[in-house]
Amino acid sequence: MTEQTQALARLIDAHLAGRVRAVAAPAGELAYELDPADLGSVCWVLRDHPELKFEMLMDLAGIDYLEFRKDEWTTESSTRTGFSRGRLEEEEVVPPAPVGGARFAVVYQLLSITHNQRLRLRVRCENDAEPVIDSVVDVWSCANWFEREAFDLFGIFFRGHPDLRRILTDYGFIGHPFRKDFPLSGNVEVRYDPERKRVIYQPVTIEPRVLVPKVIREDNRYNPALKDAPAVKP
């Protein structure tokens, strides 16, 4: 961790002690978790305090922790020896699931243009059945579309949002496609009906299939002995 990052961590501890908790993050980065009730007050401090000045919300994203850190996907015939099992190596830095075992959380990526610093916040949604969290549109106006995207894809509601509606999927879309329990092929499909002379919805006709290959074939292109080997002239 650089000296600049360490200085920022000390400022966070000084101004937000008891309201934020440090969580694991890649080297050189700072990430904190906080309770939903403290979201508004913490964001105002981060934006307006002269020693912090996180004027810009770079991104906001939802997270679904369903089956978090499980190395086996729910498939019909793929095996544990299949390629790319979707599990990170133990030495990689992975933030733990939110406190309390919440399924849904929201992550905020902040930037201080004044001090050239970045910060990550994570807030859990307390109700898995109806995930709700306060909107930060009043703090950063750009959160408007970000929160609509998280609502559309994850079904997370943002209390106080001025116009919370879908932004990426169709208005008649059912479900939230980034949830881990949403089928890869979806639930419905659209097609043009020549008899009705309009586009109609119908149950999806794609048969589920396993996308994980079960056999890994040898390929000389990836032989370590050939790495950086001099080219052979014809």
Side-chain angles (χ1 to χ4, degrees):
M1 185 178 295
T2 65
E3 183 177 343
Q4 186 181 22
T5 304
Q6 292 176 351
L8 175 59
R10 289 192 293 269
L11 289 174
I12 297 294
D13 293 337
H15 298 297
L16 297 172
R19 287 187 281 177
V20 297
R21 301 174 295 276
V23 295
E29 299 183 11
L30 287 178
Y32 293 89
E33 184 177 65
L34 62 151
D35 294 331
D38 295 325
L39 177 60
S41 61
V42 167
C43 288
W44 282 113
V45 171
L46 290 174
R47 195 197 74 170
D48 293 341
H49 197 285
E51 292 184 315
L52 301 173
K53 296 293 288 184
F54 285 93
E55 309 100 326
M56 184 174 292
L57 173 64
M58 297 294 294
D59 191 20
L60 179 157
I63 304 178
D64 183 359
Y65 284 96
L66 184 68
E67 298 185 355
F68 177 65
R69 295 287 287 176
K70 291 186 178 180
D71 64 342
E72 288 294 327
W73 297 331
T74 305
T75 53
E76 294 180 357
S77 58
S78 62
T79 67
R80 187 179 183 85
T81 58
F83 176 74
S84 182
R85 299 308 306 159
R87 182 178 180 178
L88 298 174
E89 297 297 331
E90 293 299 331
E91 61 269 15
E92 296 189 39
V93 177
V94 180
V99 174
R103 173 179 173 180
F104 297 101
V106 179
V107 173
Y108 305 81
Q109 309 285 354
L110 306 181
L111 171 66
S112 170
I113 301 175
T114 301
H115 303 296
N116 190 27
Q117 293 274 29
R118 294 180 183 271
L119 184 70
R120 182 179 302 113
L121 297 178
R122 184 179 66 181
V123 185
R124 72 184 188 281
C125 299
E126 296 179 317
N127 189 335
D128 291 349
E130 294 183 0
V132 180
I133 203 167
D134 289 336
S135 172
V136 295
V137 170
D138 290 341
V139 185
W140 298 287
S141 59
C142 63
N144 190 317
W145 282 18
F146 291 153
E147 291 179 349
R148 285 180 58 189
E149 184 179 68
F151 161 71
D152 191 357
L153 300 179
F154 289 93
I156 299 174
F157 291 87
F158 292 87
R159 187 186 298 109
H161 190 284
D163 186 24
L164 193 62
R165 54 193 169 94
R166 291 187 181 273
I167 191 172
L168 295 176
T169 60
D170 185 31
Y171 290 116
F173 192 88
I174 298 175
H176 304 283
F178 274 17
R179 289 191 174 190
K180 295 295 179 63
D181 52 4
F182 190 87
L184 292 178
S185 57
N187 294 312
V188 297
E189 63 186 20
V190 296
R191 68 175 179 84
Y192 180 77
D193 190 323
E195 296 181 357
R196 303 182 189 180
K197 296 183 179 181
R198 64 180 178 87
V199 173
I200 64 170
Y201 286 86
Q202 65 183 28
V204 65
T205 57
I206 301 175
E207 293 184 2
R209 58 195 173 122
V210 177
L211 301 179
V212 181
K214 296 179 63 176
V215 178
I216 304 177
R217 295 179 174 85
E218 295 295 332
D219 192 328
N220 290 331
R221 293 176 298 173
Y222 304 107
N223 188 336
L226 300 179
K227 184 178 180 181
D228 299 328
V232 179
K233 295 182 179 181

